[in-house]
Amino acid sequence: MDIALREARAAAARGEVPVGAVLLRGGVELARAGNRMRELSDPTAHAEMLVIRAACADTGSDRLPGTTLYVTLEPCPMCAAAIAAARIARVIYGASDPKSGGVERGPRVFSHSQTHHHPEVISGIAERESAALMRAFFAARREEQR
Amino acid sequence: MDIALREARAAAARGEVPVGAVLLRGGVELARAGNRMRELSDPTAHAEMLVIRAACADTGSDRLPGTTLYVTLEPCPMCAAAIAAARIARVIYGASDPKSGGVERGPRVFSHSQTHHHPEVISGIAERESAALMRAFFAARREEQR
């Protein structure tokens, strides 16, 4: 999760909402990324999506069985559905996201039969640091907008 | 919807699940695409995602207000959440997708407060043709697997 947190901090430094992710298989890193929506003008460029796309491109497969995704924030429904489509085995995330989360709340993407793969989910790892990054980012943005 | 259906047929010819999409603003086409998950080894390369990413790249913005997305099949939760993130005004789709849909069923992505934009949704346009393409594709695949 330290790598994911570093990616989140790097995202904040680029003016992006500070979320970072890293994908591992058997202790080997496959990909890491932070949010790049603004930089790439791409609303789908969430950290999780970038990690999934990079790892699939590298492995030449659209599935990533046996992998663990670490991400600093509860995935949104887009990322949760992509995680399921990629058959990622385990998702470990930091802070909950009451505003936009799609795992524990709202769409609860992994709780429906229309989602054909339900990864193991562990939450609350490095929760405090992950949430603090988000709070600091949005506080600074509000300050700028005054 | 004729363009979306053509994209769906072209996807089937490439061995992809036959879903096609096109994005318009004020009658002007911004992007069209069919599924390319297999071709690109990318589980996120659904027709809707490719159209959103192409239109955002062309316009240099991560939002697409005032646009209408035509897609042959009910969007999955990933695509529905991306549609909301991109602030697409209207989604017009063909066939329902009881197996993997995320709009009318299961995650019902547009029905939660965690989704910050709820597009107008119209369904059942060219439903029969859209569903027939899906049925023919999966029937042929089952035949191959015998």
Side-chain angles (χ1 to χ4, degrees):
Chain A
M1 192 63 101
D2 283 342
I3 296 170
L5 281 165
R6 275 205 294 278
E7 288 293 325
R9 281 183 215 108
R14 294 190 301 266
E16 305 274 359
V17 175
V19 180
V22 60
L23 188 74
L24 303 179
R25 179 182 278 141
V28 177
E29 180 180 328
L30 298 184
R32 64 171 80 182
N35 278 351
R36 292 191 181 270
M37 289 91 80
R38 287 177 62 168
E39 176 190 342
L40 301 178
S41 298
D42 181 353
T44 77
H46 288 195
E48 304 95 310
M49 301 290 279
L50 296 177
V51 157
I52 290 169
R53 297 182 62 216
C56 285
D58 279 353
T59 59
S61 168
D62 62 353
R63 297 196 171 181
L64 300 164
T67 59
T68 299
L69 179 75
Y70 290 80
V71 55
T72 56
L73 191 69
E74 178 186 354
C76 80
M78 174 180 71
C79 293
I83 288 164
R87 303 295 190 268
I88 289 174
R90 197 151 64 139
V91 180
I92 299 177
Y93 67 82
S96 285
D97 186 3
K99 194 169 153 274
S100 307
V103 173
E104 307 171 30
R105 70 199 75 245
R108 297 181 197 276
V109 167
F110 300 139
S111 308
H112 299 279
S113 62
Q114 283 80 10
T115 304
H116 307 296
H117 168 75
H118 299 173
E120 182 187 359
V121 176
I122 298 169
S123 61
I125 309 297
E127 181 171 11
R128 203 180 297 181
E129 300 91 313
S130 299
L133 277 174
M134 292 288 285
R135 272 197 308 274
F137 179 82
F138 286 108
R141 186 183 270 190
R142 279 193 299 274
E143 196 60 37
E144 276 169 22
Q145 284 169 351
R146 270 191 184 181
Chain B
M1 191 62 100
D2 282 342
I3 296 170
L5 281 164
R6 274 205 294 277
E7 288 294 324
R9 280 184 215 109
R14 293 190 302 267
E16 305 275 359
V17 175
V19 181
V22 59
L23 188 74
L24 303 180
R25 180 182 276 141
V28 177
E29 181 181 327
L30 299 184
R32 64 171 79 183
N35 277 352
R36 292 190 181 270
M37 289 91 80
R38 287 178 62 169
E39 177 190 341
L40 301 178
S41 298
D42 181 353
T44 76
H46 287 194
E48 303 94 311
M49 301 290 278
L50 296 177
V51 158
I52 290 170
R53 296 183 62 217
C56 285
D58 279 352
T59 59
S61 168
D62 62 353
R63 297 196 170 182
L64 300 163
T67 58
T68 299
L69 180 74
Y70 290 81
V71 54
T72 57
L73 191 69
E74 178 186 354
C76 80
M78 174 180 72
C79 294
I83 287 164
R87 304 295 192 266
I88 289 174
R90 197 150 65 139
V91 180
I92 298 177
Y93 67 82
S96 286
D97 186 3
K99 193 169 155 272
S100 308
V103 174
E104 309 171 29
R105 70 200 75 244
R108 297 181 197 276
V109 168
F110 301 141
S111 308
H112 299 279
S113 63
Q114 284 80 9
T115 304
H116 308 296
H117 168 75
H118 298 174
E120 181 187 358
V121 176
I122 298 169
S123 63
I125 308 298
E127 182 173 10
R128 201 179 299 181
E129 298 92 314
S130 299
L133 277 174
M134 292 288 283
R135 272 197 309 274
F137 179 82
F138 286 106
R141 185 183 270 188
R142 278 193 300 272
E143 196 59 37
E144 276 168 22
Q145 285 170 351
R146 273 193 185 180

